[in-house]
Amino acid sequence: MAKTSFLLARWQRRALVLVVFTIAALLITVNWRIAQFEQLLQEGKIVRFALAPVDPRSIMQGDYMTLEYAIAQEVWLVLPDGMLEGQLLLAVDSQQVAHFVDIYHAQPLTTEQLKVNFRIRNHDVKLASNSFFFEEGQAEHFSQAKYGEFRVNERGELLLVSLLDEKLQRL
């Protein structure tokens, strides 16, 4: 009986060490990703995408707006068959509004160009967030959105910062 309790105690210690290690690894990973987002907010270039808002309400999730990007149709026209992710080559005008140029193929960028990551999911071009959640009762206010303002880093990762009206003013 003592031998059985000793083996059980050893198994319990190993399980506890495994649980503690897993939790620590998870916390480190989550905090590292949060730090990356904070750095992107602070140091990322501003880029704006013309939007095509789709659905301003969700009964299960509260008020939100599904976002579609105006460049999505242009991307579909040149997207190679079977390509599900990659990077887009964009030109940015003086107001930081992005315009689709082509699929990025590791060519050198000019100062007016940048690359952004994309993926295809459910036959939609996804850039960053494809939804924007807002306070209940604000659907009419946010339905005026014409642009999404993002921060982009050197790797092409995007982070949605805010929605803008037709005059590029924050909503």
Side-chain angles (χ1 to χ4, degrees):
M1 181 125 171
K3 192 173 192 176
T4 304
S5 65
F6 175 74
L7 290 176
L8 186 60
R10 185 185 312 167
W11 177 83
Q12 288 173 332
R13 285 193 302 267
R14 286 182 180 169
L16 180 62
V17 167
L18 182 62
V19 167
V20 168
F21 177 77
T22 302
I23 291 171
L26 184 62
L27 288 172
I28 289 168
T29 302
V30 167
N31 283 310
W32 178 70
R33 193 67 181 142
I34 290 170
Q36 284 184 317
F37 283 133
E38 290 292 331
Q39 183 178 12
L40 181 53
L41 281 173
Q42 296 296 319
E43 300 172 7
K45 281 183 169 180
I46 293 174
V47 62
R48 297 170 175 147
F49 289 93
L51 297 177
V54 181
D55 180 13
R57 293 210 32 101
S58 168
I59 294 171
M60 296 299 288
Q61 297 173 308
D63 283 349
Y64 83 105
M65 180 180 292
T66 300
L67 305 174
E68 280 191 22
Y69 304 96
I71 67 169
Q73 291 302 319
E74 296 175 72
V75 172
W76 277 114
L77 293 175
V78 300
L79 193 66
D81 287 340
M83 185 176 211
L84 298 177
E85 61 184 43
Q87 293 186 312
L88 303 177
L89 176 62
L90 305 174
V92 181
D93 66 21
S94 62
Q95 295 181 307
Q96 286 87 29
V97 175
H99 304 279
F100 179 69
V101 175
D102 201 355
I103 304 296
Y104 179 70
H105 298 290
Q107 65 267 45
L109 300 175
T110 68
T111 57
E112 296 85 26
Q113 294 179 327
L114 55 87
K115 61 184 178 181
V116 298
N117 299 336
F118 79 95
R119 61 192 185 288
I120 305 297
R121 299 291 184 269
N122 299 321
H123 304 289
D124 288 328
V125 175
K126 307 258 186 206
L127 297 176
S129 177
N130 281 72
S131 57
F132 182 79
F133 290 84
F134 46 82
E135 213 174 296
E136 190 172 334
Q138 297 292 314
E140 189 174 322
H141 174 71
F142 285 104
S143 68
Q144 301 171 50
K146 301 296 181 205
Y147 296 89
E149 184 172 273
F150 296 82
R151 293 287 183 147
V152 61
N153 64 15
E154 295 284 325
R155 294 183 305 274
E157 296 172 322
L158 289 167
L159 184 60
L160 179 62
V161 177
S162 62
L163 295 181
L164 309 173
D165 65 14
E166 69 278 351
K167 296 178 184 173
L168 300 174
Q169 301 298 312
R170 285 188 179 197
L171 295 175

